[in-house]
Amino acid sequence: MSVESRYDDLKRLIRDVPDFPKPGIIFKDITPLLRDAAAFRRVVDALADVVERERLRPDVCAAPEARGFIFASALAQRLHLGLVPIRKPGKLPARTARLDYALEYGNDAVEIHVDAVEPAQRVLIVDDVLATGGTIRACADLVAQRGAVIAGLLFVVELAFLGGRERLPEHAAHSILKY
Ligand code: AMP
């Protein structure tokens, strides 16, 4: 059984919200999944299984705010790893590096503390949804610019029809629930 079909029953806990945050976007709302203890646990188990099965061997987890933090924190605890936050501009207090990128619905930028990752450290980047791939492309580039290695990219939901994976050709991208 493929990874996708093994977890496909969890799709009942991903709520489609049309026209959020802008007309034409169908937002994949993960909050029903988060408030279901067994489902939340299963998703974190599934993410940890991918890390093990694919031998990603991360040294640390990193995630863009805000929904990425939720899964990355839980996974980091499970894997006994630390967590590096990647944030919107102006949120991180110490010295930062910044990258601008285009989003499915607008433009944005991400920042990381310049001392957050170490050269050659293997960084696992985690987010809730892979849409166009712009956010994760920026996060991966930001981390790579600091000299770290991308151990893998991990998502709970992948909107495959948006082709985000094609924007990340050099990285191993894995998702639990594909649409
Ligand atoms: P993208 O850069 O297009 O891959 O967008 C990824 C980021 O935007 C992720 O952090 C998602 O949380 C969020 N996002 C984009 N599109 C959607 C969507 N249709 N439903 C839920 N979240 C989305």
Side-chain angles (χ1 to χ4, degrees), residues 26-28 67 103-105 127-129 131-135 159:
I26 299 176
F27 194 84
K28 294 292 183 195
R67 291 178 299 278
L103 196 69
E104 188 187 358
Y105 38 83
D127 202 2
D128 66 332
V129 175
T132 66
T135 305
L159 305 181

Side-chain angles (χ1 to χ4, degrees), residues 14-17 20-21 24-30 64-68 88 101-105 126-138 155 157 159 161-162 164 167-168:
I14 308 285
R15 174 166 54 192
D16 279 358
V17 182
F20 182 89
I25 304 287
I26 299 176
F27 194 84
K28 294 292 183 195
D29 176 20
I30 54 148
E65 69 178 90
R67 291 178 299 278
K88 299 244 163 76
Y101 67 98
L103 196 69
E104 188 187 358
Y105 38 83
V126 183
D127 202 2
D128 66 332
V129 175
L130 173 62
T132 66
T135 305
I136 284 302
R137 172 84 265 163
F155 307 92
V157 171
L159 305 181
F161 57 90
L162 291 175
R167 292 179 72 170
L168 310 157

Side-chain angles (χ1 to χ4, degrees), residues 75-146:
L75 181 63
Q77 286 283 300
R78 177 71 50 90
L79 300 176
H80 306 285
L81 298 176
L83 175 70
V84 170
I86 298 173
R87 300 210 61 183
K88 299 244 163 76
K91 300 285 188 185
L92 289 169
R95 211 174 131 225
T96 55
R98 170 188 170 120
L99 234 166
D100 294 89
Y101 67 98
L103 196 69
E104 188 187 358
Y105 38 83
N107 292 306
D108 223 328
V110 284
E111 290 185 348
I112 192 171
H113 276 146
V114 293
D115 59 358
V117 295
E118 288 159 26
Q121 201 176 22
R122 293 180 60 81
V123 180
L124 176 67
I125 301 182
V126 183
D127 202 2
D128 66 332
V129 175
L130 173 62
T132 66
T135 305
I136 284 302
R137 172 84 265 163
C139 291
D141 290 349
L142 201 52
V143 167
Q145 281 172 7
R146 310 313 306 161

